[in-house]
Amino acid sequence: MTDANAPATPEDAPTRSLNFIQEIVEGDNRSGKWDSKVHTRFPPEPNGYLHIGHAKSICLNFGIAEKYGGMCNLRFDDTNPVKEEQEYIDAIIDDVRWLGFDWNDQPLYASSYFEKMYGWAVQLIKDGKAYVCDLPLDKVRELRGSLKTPGQNSPFRDRSIDESLDLFDKMRGGDFPDGSKTLRAKINMSHPNMNLRDPVMYRILHASHPKTGGDWCVYPMYDWAHGLEDSIEGITHSICTLEFEDHRPLYDWFLNALDLHHPQQIEFARLELTHTLMSKRKLLELVQEKIVSGWDDPRMPTLRGMRRRGYPSQAIRVFCDKVGVAKMHSTVDFALLEHCVRNVLNKTAPRFMGVLNPLKVVIENYPEGDGEELDAINNPEDPESGSRKVPFSREIYVERDDYMEDPPRKFFRLGIGREVRLRYAYFVTCTEVIKDENGEVIELRCTYDPATRGGDSPDGRKVKGTIHWVSANHALPAEVRLYEHLFAKENPSDTQEGEDYRVNLGENSLTALPNAMIEPALKDADPGFQLQFERKGYFCVDPDSTPDKLVFNQTVSLKDAWAKMKKKDGAR
Ligand code: ATP
Ligand code: MG
């Protein structure tokens, strides 16, 4: 099956010139800024599962390290024990590996630097650059001022160094309740950049941490910790999303005050996708409110969800590469991601026949009790994939919508008196339709032409339609799940006053077809197995499968909306 580490296929290989980050790195390598060393990191907070936006950051950071013979750390930014869990840590490690990236060492943890950071905080207090503040957090926020008005000094700003040292020690010792004190940097309460208005460095949280357990009851704030983490690890290029541009002066302030190694921070625009939300908070709500079945629901934009849906990791990497990196925000069409998925699966996924909405067909002139095996090609795109045998008999199933009562002229499938090709089998002509007492079509009667075995006519007779089928006696029952976007609206955050993103949830994002019939060759397919059901799209076997009934997720349909759009654009 798909090899996560396989290189992108030639036509998927990037043809673009360097992106702006690669240009910076190459410039640094030429000037010898970092002795030609390249050291990046991917720093997730373990407070949720990774999503496709994170994949972009992973591909970028690990990709740069790979391209320039450097290193990329996987580092958990585990500074907020209230929201972080071991479950997320394990899943993130697994997802990064699944994407095809590896790092030499064990993953790193910001929490393993807590002692060092604490020491630096003490140093800043001693240097008169930090102080313990007794204001509650909401008061701190209130006195910060706004973009238009300067902030006000805390009444505790000028307390003595010794008093702050003593209080900070007691904060660590557990003498004070949550939220009663903070340690703040002493910078400038009227600084035009709000991030530099005496930001909080530590807060009191009597909470157990997944790694450090009950060792700490003061935890560093992200802005204090993040630059230090990069510095400790000797990161050269600290690549982050645009919203951190305004935080850079603060990281620099801390590193200057402590005279530490300065990584170069480079900001890029985060990935946004149509019909997709990437806020971890909202994704967690979808899980908690059971709007989806879990973080790995195939409709989720998480790597877990996409993996369960059948997206090959290689396709996600190609996608991230195609999207590129920019300084400007833009939203990428989901159809591009599906295009990349299709391109990979087209080459790697074997073809099978599966009837999603079965309608029984009896071939009246086919001898009762007889049967035979016909040759079917596994993957026309992969000559090495060979062929398999497909059983055929007098009773088969075809797709319900491959028959029409009053077919229009251009309907090249079944209708009374119409002849079609059964894929790999015979030409059949529909002779009769059988209905139940409600007028519902329950069966078709056909005749077949024995001379057309294999699907070719010896007399050169042409049929326009070819349909798929399965032999009724041999087919296996299956459930097939079809998906549409979780959010019907292109921009799920686009709502009226008083509404939230939930109003944009699509009504038909999951359709389960419990009565599908599939080729017996799929009997032993394992969860994760990727395939194409001819004419129906790419699918994969879901972990919900049982020995008696396989469950399939539709990964993508066969219609390439992206290629179509491109063609239209080109034609203009
Ligand atoms: P939050 O901080 O709100 O919990 P987050 O998505 O920023 O959410 P992190 O765990 O901090 O979560 O993200 C880890 C890394 O992934 C960060 O470096 C971040 O910049 C990057 N990242 C997150 N979302 C995207 C996105 N949509 N596109 C590109 N990079 C992203
Ligand atoms: Mg973040």
Side-chain angles (χ1 to χ4, degrees), residues 16-25 53-61 63-64 239-242 266-271 318-330 332:
R16 286 186 320 275
S17 50
L18 299 180
N19 66 46
F20 83 95
I21 299 181
Q22 292 165 340
E23 289 200 8
I24 293 174
V25 172
H54 294 119
K56 174 166 173 178
S57 177
I58 294 168
C59 291
L60 189 56
N61 280 294
I64 292 257
I239 302 168
C240 63
T241 42
L242 284 180
I266 307 167
E267 302 90 9
F268 71 99
R270 59 196 302 129
L271 173 71
V318 170
F319 168 74
C320 289
D321 194 74
K322 270 190 197 294
V323 166
V325 285
K327 273 276 184 195
M328 294 283 283
H329 277 296
S330 68
V332 176

Side-chain angles (χ1 to χ4, degrees), residues 277 279 281-287 289 291 486-489 491-496 499-506:
L277 276 182
S279 147
R281 182 179 62 78
K282 290 175 187 163
L283 296 179
L284 180 63
E285 283 170 3
L286 294 174
V287 173
E289 292 168 24
I291 291 168
L486 188 55
F487 291 97
K489 200 155 191 177
N491 175 6
S493 304
D494 179 13
T495 54
Q496 304 289 321
E499 295 176 343
D500 77 357
Y501 66 92
R502 291 175 182 81
V503 302
N504 291 327
L505 284 161

Side-chain angles (χ1 to χ4, degrees), residues 399-418:
E399 214 63 71
R400 222 155 235 290
D401 61 8
D402 279 336
Y403 167 81
M404 258 183 105
E405 193 86 350
D406 288 306
R409 211 165 47 87
K410 292 226 157 147
F411 183 81
F412 299 121
R413 294 173 265 165
L414 288 168
I416 299 287
R418 302 217 176 181

